[in-house]
Amino acid sequence: MTASDEFGHLDTPLEASNSPALTFEVFARCSKTKARASKMHLPHYKAHTPMFMPVGTMGSIKGITTKQLEALDCHVILGNTYHLGSRPGPELLEKAGGLHKFMTWDRGLLTDSGGFQMVSLLKLANITEEGVEFENPHDGQKMMLTPEMSIGLQNAIGADIMMQLDDVVSSLTTGPRVEEAMWRSVRWLDRSIKAHKRPTEQNLFPIVQGGLDVDLRTKSALELVKRDSPGYAIGGLSGGEAKGSFWRMVSLSTDILPTNKPRYCMGVGYAEDLVVCSALGVDMYDCVFPTRTARFGNALVRTGSLSLKQGRYSADFKPIDKDCDCPTCANYTRAYLHTTATKETTGCHLITVHNIAFQMRLMRDIRQAIVEDRYPAFIREFMRIRFGKTVPMWIVGALQSVNVDLTVPDSSGYSAEPVADDFQKTPNAEPEL
Amino acid sequence: MALRFELANIATSSTVVPRRGKLVLDRSATGGDSSAERPATVLETPTFFKYTRHGLQPHLVPEVAAELDALPMATRVQAEDFLESDTPDCVKFGDGLHKFIALDPADILLLDTLDPTITVRVAKSTNTYMSIDSEGGTRRLTPGLFAQLTNSLRPDIIIPPADIVEEPLPSLTQGKRISKSVARSAKWLEECMAALTHPAAVFAPVVGSHSLELRTMSAKALAARHDIAGYVFNDVCLTVPLEHKLRLVNHSLRILDASKPRYMLGASAPDAVLLAVLSGIDLFDSSYPYAVTEQGLASTYVLDQDNSANVLPHCLDMWQETMFADFGPLVDGCTCFTCRSHHRSYIHHLLKTKEMLATVLLQIHNTHWYQRFFADIRRSMERGSLAADAALFMQKYDCETQLSGGIGELNRLANRPFSELSTLSAQTCSPTTKIQRKRHAEPQVVTL
């Protein structure tokens, strides 16, 4: 597997920031869009951005060993504080020397605050100024997760990057609740910063909120910038909102957040979203999608995804992707995977490995294109393969805002004819081999 | 391509004794896609074929399976895993089964019909085909279809379809069922071999169930043939105690050609392996480590000459809360990938949180442990102490094996500690996934 080497010849950053546990160096900027390629020095690893972080909820990426993750060139992976906090719990993790030692992973780790799981998984979650009140699913007892407790759990886990507990509202919510949540998140940030016991070993990222309201999101971002954090996350999105609102909130946030620090858009993982948001100036992403869809037999390719359970693949003796250098594509055909996907754990693992490799290769290609200042051409080529002419309108609009106009034909004659749908339901036709 | 079996101790008066041997596959003899320079693959016996599901060792993709060095270069695959329709599309794959499942070309690849861990089957076979339960309905595996699979997939060894009798209990109608199975199996063997164009070595199923007379008939017919490379004992559906089963096997062995290798299915557990090796069986498969993994257990049994302990546990239950804060390896001193890289606390955590990595890591350890066990068996045979070492093993792990039989014994022996089939039957799905496992054996208490 190719190890990231995009920055080979570059050693002077264009801009940088030095925080107690994080140094961020921007080495290349796209001359047209807001994209940049950077190195992020974390306590455990030197990551390259823009970067995708696979999600390892309970301390493992479903069925994949840490040795395989290294071979796939993953730099940072996620753990979930809610799950790890209940099992194995903070005391055991401290005894083990932190999550890195517990799971034998020596690269980067990021933990979320636990708040999102709480609100999405639990039936009774009551949010007060103190914290999130919920019913423990095991014994029905009333419990509370406060910003202080979340930080305490995350300090025990010991990840390189921790997220503040935020008052997260659905992106579809409207009315005064959105503003209430935004201001409360700022107050909870300050409480989190105060409670943080390991600021030279772990980074605490605030999360920009404000729903889909321009005014509220602006205020949120400006407040967070005042705290001079090592990096910032853009939250409260990827919850089913219209993509037209989604990209505008992302772009607004990256316009306000400092350019010499990393910007992390939470819950983003579809290939086209990664390409567009990188053009809008985002550096970090996480999503369960690639690993989850693998377990349903879906393999990711540049045209979309292949549902390998479908009958059409039973005699298809090509690899998933001829341009992919992952072990699955080197060894197995779509026909073989068709026989075993969803039936054996090895079927799951083979497609999971490929999907992670797919995401890593996409991000490497994005970084390479930015370093060589040809990102707009890369975007056009990506969209041509992914959608053909029928590119979703929101993508066209988002890219136009950063000086890439897909509706204008390029030298190859390709141009987009935007469609209203946010998502393309059927995958694009595969290019002739 | 030539498969030959070289026995270390040639001159023996009895054919029912343990023997050391070498199973050698020499692919340079044929042309086609085999490279003439490929060195021969040599297997020291007694040994095992790697058990696979859909062509891969359970839970282990190739780069993870590669962590297990020193495994025997032999793999078994069952055709039923690839029968998604009556005319499976894998026959259209032109590059052979090794390539289809990404197996090392030097591995000796055996194609069988059925998965040995599944013993309860619903569909009934007929005179013309073996019925196989599958998700999409009942598949019909005719000898002709199996020959077609062999010809296009080109495995090194095949076990042609045979009619396996399912009813365990002797009764008046049993005789008819068994003689039908003997006739069908002989007919299917003939039809299959007549349709072969690929020179796979044939390991013939030795049938007859619990009828000594019919076992004699089946064995005599096979002994007379010169185109059979080995024998297979596949009485997995017979739920009589192992010692009784081995007596039936021995009965057939006395008639068969002793110079040919013997593969026994359903005898994968360590105590069964020891008793079967003492009876002259050469080949097994690694279904047992899979059964152990599926229960969330880590193997700890050892064949040695240490008689200081009274009774020892043969495995570690990773579900136990005592594992919660235990930062030691599964087994102290074990050199497998799992024991070198991880500790008990983490594996326990993975099991409790239903993470698939738990079964990956356990499968590595349990398979490594199984391979060690076989190496110990061969060393014990070289020392000339197998019978004594085996008896000590049975005592240490409380296997309660006695050869006499009787009603009380039979009931007690149905719950032997190592039984891989009753280990698997207790679960409906794998511990860390929602993938359903159907059709496993229900342990049946034998009453006469």
Side-chain angles (χ1 to χ4, degrees):
Chain A
M1 298 299 306
T2 321
S4 301
D5 55 6
E6 309 86 44
F7 300 105
H9 55 288
L10 299 168
D11 46 23
T12 317
L14 302 171
E15 59 175 328
S17 64
N18 286 291
S19 308
L22 188 157
T23 296
F24 190 71
E25 298 171 313
V26 178
F27 278 98
R29 269 194 224 105
C30 176
S31 50
K32 279 237 184 125
T33 71
K34 298 198 283 180
R36 54 295 173 72
S38 321
K39 283 194 209 177
M40 183 163 62
H41 304 252
L42 296 167
H44 286 86
Y45 202 68
K46 192 163 64 193
H48 292 188
T49 68
M51 120 174 115
F52 177 78
M53 304 176 286
V55 180
T57 310
M58 319 252 196
S60 89
I61 310 263
K62 305 257 181 278
I64 308 298
T65 66
T66 48
K67 197 169 170 185
Q68 284 175 286
L69 291 174
E70 281 178 18
L72 290 166
D73 201 28
C74 294
H75 294 186
V76 181
I77 60 179
L78 248 79
N80 281 129
T81 300
Y82 171 72
H83 294 290
L84 292 168
S86 39
R87 181 169 274 284
E91 294 86 9
L92 195 272
L93 283 168
E94 263 172 356
K95 229 193 246 184
L99 183 59
H100 280 92
K101 291 239 158 41
F102 187 62
M103 61 182 289
T104 318
W105 169 252
D106 56 16
R107 295 188 176 188
L109 272 176
L110 185 151
T111 46
D112 68 332
S113 64
F116 178 75
Q117 261 78 37
M118 198 134 302
V119 164
S120 61
L121 291 180
L122 300 174
K123 281 179 296 203
L124 188 66
N126 188 28
I127 302 174
T128 69
E129 185 60 27
E130 202 190 332
V132 182
E133 191 183 68
F134 62 100
E135 241 178 43
N136 187 323
H138 304 296
D139 54 23
Q141 268 202 311
K142 274 225 171 7
M143 305 196 57
M144 173 75 78
L145 180 70
T146 63
E148 292 79 10
M149 288 167 63
S150 172
I151 293 300
L153 287 171
Q154 295 187 73
N155 280 149
I157 295 169
D160 302 76
I161 300 173
M162 322 187 301
M163 306 308 297
Q164 67 151 122
L165 182 68
D166 52 347
D167 184 357
V168 55
V169 291
S170 157
S171 50
L172 305 173
T173 305
T174 53
R177 176 78 186 102
V178 182
E179 178 160 10
E180 175 195 53
M182 187 273 283
W183 289 115
R184 180 171 295 140
S185 296
V186 176
R187 293 192 292 277
W188 282 4
L189 170 65
D190 290 336
R191 282 167 60 183
S192 302
I193 293 172
K194 211 157 158 217
H196 185 10
K197 292 196 171 41
R198 305 173 62 188
T200 58
E201 300 162 87
Q202 296 179 270
N203 297 283
L204 173 58
F205 278 25
I207 306 178
V208 178
Q209 295 289 352
L212 306 178
D213 185 302
V214 170
D215 185 52
L216 291 177
R217 202 161 267 274
T218 302
K219 285 188 170 124
S220 174
L222 287 171
E223 280 299 320
L224 300 187
V225 170
K226 289 181 195 166
R227 273 76 183 165
D228 195 27
S229 297
Y232 300 89
I234 301 163
L237 298 173
S238 282
E241 71 277 357
K243 297 299 268 193
S245 310
F246 163 76
W247 80 258
R248 285 180 172 84
M249 292 299 105
V250 170
S251 203
L252 184 160
S253 307
T254 56
D255 280 340
I256 300 171
L257 294 169
T259 52
N260 66 346
K261 292 190 174 167
R263 294 90 73 93
Y264 164 30
C265 195
M266 308 181 80
V268 169
Y270 286 27
E272 52 272 23
D273 294 0
L274 297 170
V275 171
V276 170
C277 290
S278 297
L280 300 179
V282 176
D283 309 295
M284 299 161 62
Y285 309 90
D286 83 281
C287 195
V288 293
F289 169 69
T291 41
R292 179 174 291 169
T293 205
R295 298 195 293 282
F296 291 108
N298 300 320
L300 299 178
V301 287
R302 291 282 166 106
T303 50
S305 78
L306 308 178
S307 301
L308 293 171
K309 296 300 302 162
Q310 289 178 343
R312 60 158 81 172
Y313 296 111
S314 68
D316 188 338
F317 300 121
K318 301 190 291 293
I320 294 169
D321 185 345
K322 65 170 172 41
D323 295 324
C324 180
D325 62 350
C326 82
T328 302
C329 290
N331 290 321
Y332 295 103
T333 59
R334 298 169 180 190
Y336 171 76
L337 295 166
H338 170 78
T339 69
T340 178
T342 75
K343 292 214 184 116
E344 294 296 334
T345 55
T346 45
C348 293
H349 302 333
L350 289 171
I351 303 177
T352 300
V353 161
H354 166 77
N355 285 2
I356 294 176
F358 174 85
Q359 299 287 99
M360 296 301 117
R361 181 165 62 99
L362 175 63
M363 300 318 295
R364 251 197 323 275
D365 289 349
I366 290 175
R367 293 192 294 265
Q368 194 78 53
I370 298 169
V371 163
E372 293 169 14
D373 201 14
R374 51 175 177 81
Y375 194 47
F378 173 85
I379 298 172
R380 296 188 73 95
E381 181 62 5
F382 175 88
M383 294 301 169
R384 183 185 70 77
I385 293 172
R386 176 72 182 89
F387 295 111
K389 289 183 115 32
T390 53
V391 180
M393 186 118 68
W394 77 268
I395 294 180
V396 175
L399 291 170
Q400 279 169 338
S401 80
V402 287
N403 309 308
V404 177
D405 193 339
L406 295 179
T407 60
V408 173
D410 58 23
S411 53
S412 74
Y414 166 70
S415 68
E417 284 156 17
V419 293
D421 308 305
D422 273 352
F423 303 97
Q424 187 188 40
K425 290 182 187 64
T426 54
N428 198 21
E430 286 195 82
E432 293 299 315
L433 283 175
Chain B
M1 172 176 59
L3 184 79
R4 62 177 191 278
F5 187 53
E6 299 163 1
L7 277 170
N9 38 325
I10 303 163
T12 51
S13 51
S14 170
T15 57
V16 181
V17 286
R19 50 285 182 91
R20 286 276 279 110
K22 286 198 216 293
L23 189 68
V24 182
L25 181 69
D26 188 353
R27 282 201 193 81
S28 58
T30 39
D33 53 279
S34 325
S35 113
E37 301 85 32
R38 192 175 297 132
T41 304
V42 180
L43 288 184
E44 296 278 336
T45 69
T47 189
F48 59 93
F49 288 93
K50 292 178 287 227
Y51 168 71
T52 64
R53 299 172 67 83
H54 286 84
L56 266 55
Q57 291 186 74
H59 309 306
L60 308 180
V61 297
E63 70 260 30
V64 174
E67 299 293 347
L68 287 160
D69 47 11
L71 289 190
M73 296 288 286
T75 300
R76 56 150 292 127
V77 171
Q78 50 270 356
E80 76 165 303
D81 286 351
F82 294 101
L83 288 180
E84 81 279 359
S85 76
D86 278 331
T87 46
D89 278 335
C90 59
V91 301
K92 296 180 189 156
F93 183 72
D95 296 336
L97 186 54
H98 278 82
K99 199 116 210 309
F100 194 58
I101 62 178
L103 188 66
D104 187 324
D107 241 67
I108 299 177
L109 181 48
L110 180 149
L111 181 66
D112 192 359
T113 48
L114 302 175
D115 183 332
T117 66
I118 302 172
T119 56
V120 174
R121 293 175 182 273
V122 175
K124 296 275 179 279
S125 298
T126 71
N127 278 338
T128 45
Y129 57 81
M130 174 195 261
S131 286
I132 297 178
D133 308 321
S134 88
E135 259 176 44
T138 306
R139 299 284 160 243
R140 301 172 175 196
L141 184 64
T142 61
L145 177 58
F146 189 78
Q148 189 191 358
L149 284 168
T150 302
N151 294 337
S152 67
L153 295 175
R154 305 192 290 282
D156 301 311
I157 305 174
I158 58 169
I159 303 177
D163 187 19
I164 312 297
V165 176
E166 280 141 35
E167 296 91 339
L169 303 173
S171 74
L172 282 174
T173 57
Q174 276 301 292
K176 271 192 183 168
R177 173 72 188 99
I178 300 174
S179 71
K180 206 190 289 189
S181 91
V182 171
R184 274 183 195 165
S185 302
K187 174 166 165 270
W188 291 354
L189 177 68
E190 197 56 61
E191 282 173 16
C192 179
M193 291 184 71
L196 287 180
T197 54
H198 168 70
V202 176
F203 278 16
V206 180
V207 293
S209 189
H210 55 77
S211 156
L212 295 181
E213 188 190 322
L214 290 165
R215 290 195 80 90
T216 300
M217 198 168 117
S218 168
K220 273 195 174 147
L222 290 175
R225 299 185 76 117
H226 301 288
D227 50 2
I228 301 295
Y231 306 113
V232 177
F233 294 93
N234 192 1
D235 301 289
V236 290
C237 298
L238 212 52
T239 55
V240 294
L242 178 65
E243 291 78 2
H244 185 164
K245 212 182 271 194
L246 283 172
R247 282 201 289 280
L248 294 170
V249 168
N250 292 350
H251 177 86
S252 308
L253 283 179
R254 290 191 182 91
I255 301 163
L256 294 164
D257 181 343
S259 70
K260 299 197 170 146
R262 302 114 170 220
Y263 171 21
M264 185 164 177
L265 283 88
S268 176
D271 60 343
V273 169
L274 287 170
L275 291 180
V277 167
L278 285 167
S279 273
I281 300 295
D282 311 293
L283 299 164
F284 303 84
D285 61 61
S286 53
S287 327
Y288 176 73
Y290 169 62
V292 175
T293 298
E294 292 295 283
Q295 286 280 302
L297 309 171
S299 291
T300 59
Y301 55 88
V302 181
L303 179 74
D304 59 18
Q305 303 185 305
D306 179 357
N307 58 359
S308 53
N310 284 333
V311 174
L312 290 174
H314 60 89
C315 65
L316 211 54
D317 184 351
M318 299 312 297
W319 288 100
Q320 292 302 303
E321 288 310 314
T322 50
M323 298 291 145
F324 179 70
D326 189 338
F327 295 113
L330 290 174
V331 178
D332 250 318
C334 178
T335 55
C336 82
F337 171 80
T338 300
C339 291
R340 282 184 281 115
S341 321
H342 295 288
H343 45 75
R344 294 174 173 187
S345 175
Y346 183 56
I347 293 164
H348 170 80
H349 164 75
L350 292 173
L351 270 178
K352 297 293 276 219
T353 53
K354 296 198 193 319
E355 285 290 316
M356 283 192 276
L357 189 58
T359 43
V360 173
L361 296 177
L362 284 173
Q363 182 70 10
I364 291 171
H365 171 80
N366 292 331
T367 308
H368 171 89
W369 208 254
Y370 198 63
Q371 171 268 324
R372 259 184 54 137
F373 175 70
F374 271 85
D376 288 341
I377 288 178
R378 292 189 292 270
R379 252 194 300 277
S380 173
M381 289 168 89
E382 258 132 48
R383 277 197 301 268
S385 59
L386 184 64
D389 295 346
L392 176 61
F393 185 93
M394 301 301 180
Q395 197 184 306
K396 266 208 297 204
Y397 298 106
D398 200 17
C399 300
E400 298 183 337
T401 54
Q402 284 167 45
L403 296 168
S404 49
I407 295 172
E409 310 273 32
L410 291 175
N411 285 341
R412 191 163 46 88
L413 292 169
N415 296 316
R416 65 193 317 124
F418 277 108
S419 168
E420 73 263 36
L421 294 180
S422 54
T423 301
L424 277 171
S425 70
Q427 294 171 292
T428 48
C429 54
S430 197
T432 59
T433 68
K434 295 193 185 81
I435 295 176
Q436 287 283 314
R437 267 186 314 117
K438 301 175 186 128
R439 306 170 283 139
H440 283 107
E442 303 300 321
Q444 288 173 344
V445 175
V446 179
T447 50
L448 291 174

